[in-house]
């Protein structure tokens, strides 16, 4: 979001060794601010991710009159205003790069008694919004978006919201969560049927705040008109951030790495499932329950990987991890084929094209398809790749240096701070030969 740009330079080779913790889960951190703000009483959060995306959510609630102390070393204290206590913001709310804030807050704010305008950075204003505005409009909400149905979005408050029974066409936790948040205020029951399981942190956390949510198979329902009770939240390490290190250790000979206290919610485990199918040596132990979310330690040892056809059932469970998985595929023996992953084209960047372009520059056979990619494992060579301001593309190519035979430069890496502040220092600490340059 700043004016300067950051470049990563990675010297080829090395491996990852040691024991680390990664920063807090981004999805859970967003939801903890949202539900804490709406609850009755004081909610405390430990392990909150102090990344730009989560700070954008935190700032939005401050603009709506919620008193929030922190974050200080991952600790946040929220003085909840109660389900009807949010107040009209004095200004447009800028959500930076954060798609999750944009989609979830659109649902929540659509049900308020005041108007709100949400905007964001040059990536966020290209992201599709009809997936949330269509069903929310059916619930009674009213919006003005750009002609292309992207942000900025004006949310017209003071609407009477009614529950719906919605068959979600895309497997999206953001859409599901947006409707559940609107459903808190709706007359009657809101039910969402998912085409495939997606991350269920909203459902779990609502229950943690004492709100009743019914889950039967792929159908999630809640009744509007209830209240939330403040609670204490301990945010586990983010498996999406751990992924860069998991992949790095899988591809770099001699690696042996432990990542402590990572969230292993089954709806987020696709990356582990896929890498294991490719031959990875990953073990998960010390599993505990932390506030309704499973948490464990992950151990990774280098093992030779082979290409696979990625099962489509794993796609929503690994949706944010594909840039890193593509690096594993580039270092594997044989061909990896991904299908059924069109959603990757509408993330912080077009992740299929951005990864295909970058891998091609580095000498790998990578063919973008309409809904996926075909990657021939090979030798990663020298090159300069563009992350297109996408945090996950930047961190994935940084790890590629571990199995490259020459230096890699990655441009436009400032948005790594949206999800993983401290990534570069942590990566260097365990063995990545990374230099960060401000240009
Ligand atoms: C998220 C859901 C996913 C994911 C995003 C975070 C969430 O998006 O890509 O980074 O916190 O709900 P979709 O549900 O739209 O796939």
């Amino acid at each position: 979001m700043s004016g300067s740009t950051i470049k990563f330079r990675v010297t080829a080779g090395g491996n990852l060794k040691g024991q680390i913790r990664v920063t807090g889960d981004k999805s859970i951190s967003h939801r903890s601010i949202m539900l804490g703000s709406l609850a009755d009483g004081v909610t405390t959060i430990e392990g909150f991710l102090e990344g730009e995306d989560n700070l954008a959510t935190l700032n939005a609630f401050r603009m709506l009159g919620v008193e929030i102390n922190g974050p200080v070393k991952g600790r946040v204290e929220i003085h909840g205003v109660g389900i009807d206590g949010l107040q009209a913001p004095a200004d447009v709310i800028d959500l930076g790069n954060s798609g999750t804030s944009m989609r979830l807050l659109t649902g929540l704010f659509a049900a308020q008694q005041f108007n709100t305008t949400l905007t964001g950075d040059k990536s966020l204003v290209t992201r599709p919004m009809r997936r949330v505005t269509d069903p929310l409009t059916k619930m009674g909400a009213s919006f003005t978006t750009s002609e292309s149905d992207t942000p900025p979005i004006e949310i017209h408050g003071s609407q009477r919201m009614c529950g719906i029974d919605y068959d979600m066409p895309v497997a999206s936790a953001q859409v599901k969560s947006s409707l559940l948040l609107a459903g808190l205020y709706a007359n009657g029951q809101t039910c969402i049927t998912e085409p495939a399981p997606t991350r269920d942190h909203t459902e779990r956390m609502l229950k943690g705040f004492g709100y009743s949510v019914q889950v039967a198979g792929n159908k999630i329902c809640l009744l509007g008109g209830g209240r939330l009770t403040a609670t204490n939240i301990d945010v586990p390490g983010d498996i999406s951030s751990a992924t860069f290190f998991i992949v790095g250790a899988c591809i770099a000979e001699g690696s042996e790495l432990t990542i402590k206290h990572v969230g292993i919610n089954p709806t987020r485990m696709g990356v582990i499932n896929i890498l294991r199918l490719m031959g990875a040596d990953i073990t998960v132990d010390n599993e505990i329950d932390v506030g309704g979310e499973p948490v464990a330690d992950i151990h990774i040892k280098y093992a030779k990987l082979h290409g696979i056809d990625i099962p489509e059932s794993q796609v929503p469970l690994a949706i944010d991890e594909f840039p890193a998985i593509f690096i594993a595929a580039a270092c594997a023996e044989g061909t990896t084929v991904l299908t059924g992953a069109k959603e990757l084209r509408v993330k912080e960047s077009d992740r299929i094209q951005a990864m295909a372009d970058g891998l091609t520059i580095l000498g790998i056979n990578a063919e973008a398809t309409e809904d996926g990619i075909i990657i021939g494992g090979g030798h990663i060579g020298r090159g300069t790749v563009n992350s297109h301001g996408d945090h996950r593309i930047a961190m994935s190519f940084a790890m590629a240096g571990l199995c490259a035979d020459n230096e890699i430069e990655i441009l436009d890496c400032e948005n790594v701070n949206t999800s993983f502040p401290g990534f570069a220092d942590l990566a260097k600490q365990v063995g990545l030969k990374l230099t960060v340059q401000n240009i």
Side-chain angles (χ1 to χ4, degrees), residues 73-194:
K73 292 190 179 150
R75 187 183 158 85
V76 181
E77 187 184 83
I78 307 175
H79 294 259
V81 293
I83 197 88
D84 291 316
L86 297 176
Q87 291 161 26
D91 215 335
V92 170
I93 299 176
D94 186 345
L95 298 171
N97 193 244
S98 181
T100 305
S101 313
M102 181 60 74
R103 268 65 171 266
L104 271 61
L105 295 186
T106 295
L108 177 60
F109 295 171
Q112 303 302 316
Q113 295 305 308
F114 48 82
N115 300 337
T116 322
T117 301
L118 304 177
T119 191
D121 71 3
K122 66 177 196 293
S123 155
L124 194 53
V125 298
T126 68
R127 308 230 5 223
M129 287 300 283
R130 276 189 69 165
R131 52 184 56 203
V132 288
T133 55
D134 274 354
L136 287 168
T137 304
K138 287 193 183 128
M139 294 175 78
S142 167
F143 306 100
T144 310
T145 54
S146 72
E147 267 174 34
S148 49
D149 288 309
T150 55
I153 180 164
E154 279 174 39
I155 304 168
H156 310 300
S158 307
Q159 312 295 325
R160 258 180 65 83
M161 303 289 286
C162 293
I164 46 165
D165 198 331
Y166 188 61
D167 254 322
M168 198 164 56
V170 268
S172 166
Q174 291 183 350
V175 175
K176 171 178 63 175
S177 303
S178 183
L179 303 186
L180 290 174
L181 291 172
L184 296 175
Y185 295 84
N187 209 346
Q189 184 161 262
T190 298
C191 290
I192 301 126
T193 304
E194 302 190 284

Side-chain angles (χ1 to χ4, degrees), residues 26-27 30-31 100 103-104 131 171-175 177 198-199 319-320 343 347-348 392:
K26 182 155 77 80
S27 294
H30 279 303
R31 288 154 172 84
T100 305
R103 268 65 171 266
L104 271 61
R131 52 184 56 203
S172 166
Q174 291 183 350
V175 175
S177 303
T198 66
R199 67 191 68 194
I319 195 68
D320 289 340
E343 277 295 296
K347 293 293 179 187
E348 285 84 327
R392 301 201 196 281

Side-chain angles (χ1 to χ4, degrees), residues 347-369:
K347 293 293 179 187
E348 285 84 327
S349 69
D350 176 344
R351 287 184 172 160
I352 291 177
Q353 202 56 53
M355 288 302 298
D357 291 347
L359 287 169
T360 304
I361 288 168
L362 298 179
I364 296 292
N365 281 326
E367 186 196 328
T369 60

Side-chain angles (χ1 to χ4, degrees), residues 235-313:
V235 182
D238 196 329
I239 193 163
S240 298
S241 299
T243 287
F244 306 107
F245 291 90
I246 296 171
V247 165
C250 283
I251 61 177
E253 223 170 316
S255 295
E256 204 164 342
L257 189 70
T258 295
I259 313 175
K260 303 279 287 179
H261 202 72
V262 184
I264 54 152
N265 181 315
T267 60
R268 302 284 297 280
M269 283 291 272
V271 60
I272 308 278
N273 302 336
I274 292 167
L275 289 171
R276 279 182 174 155
L277 289 174
M278 296 175 77
D281 181 348
I282 303 173
T283 48
V284 176
D285 63 13
N286 291 335
E287 186 174 337
I288 50 167
D289 178 283
V290 179
E293 290 279 353
V295 173
D297 299 337
I298 301 178
H299 310 275
I300 314 101
K301 272 192 201 156
Y302 166 78
K304 239 179 157 9
L305 301 183
H306 56 83
I308 58 164
D309 288 352
I310 299 175
E312 287 195 10
S313 63

Side-chain angles (χ1 to χ4, degrees), residues 19-33:
Q19 183 171 301
I20 54 170
R21 275 177 91 120
V22 293
T23 46
D25 188 277
K26 182 155 77 80
S27 294
I28 296 176
S29 294
H30 279 303
R31 288 154 172 84
S32 66
I33 297 287

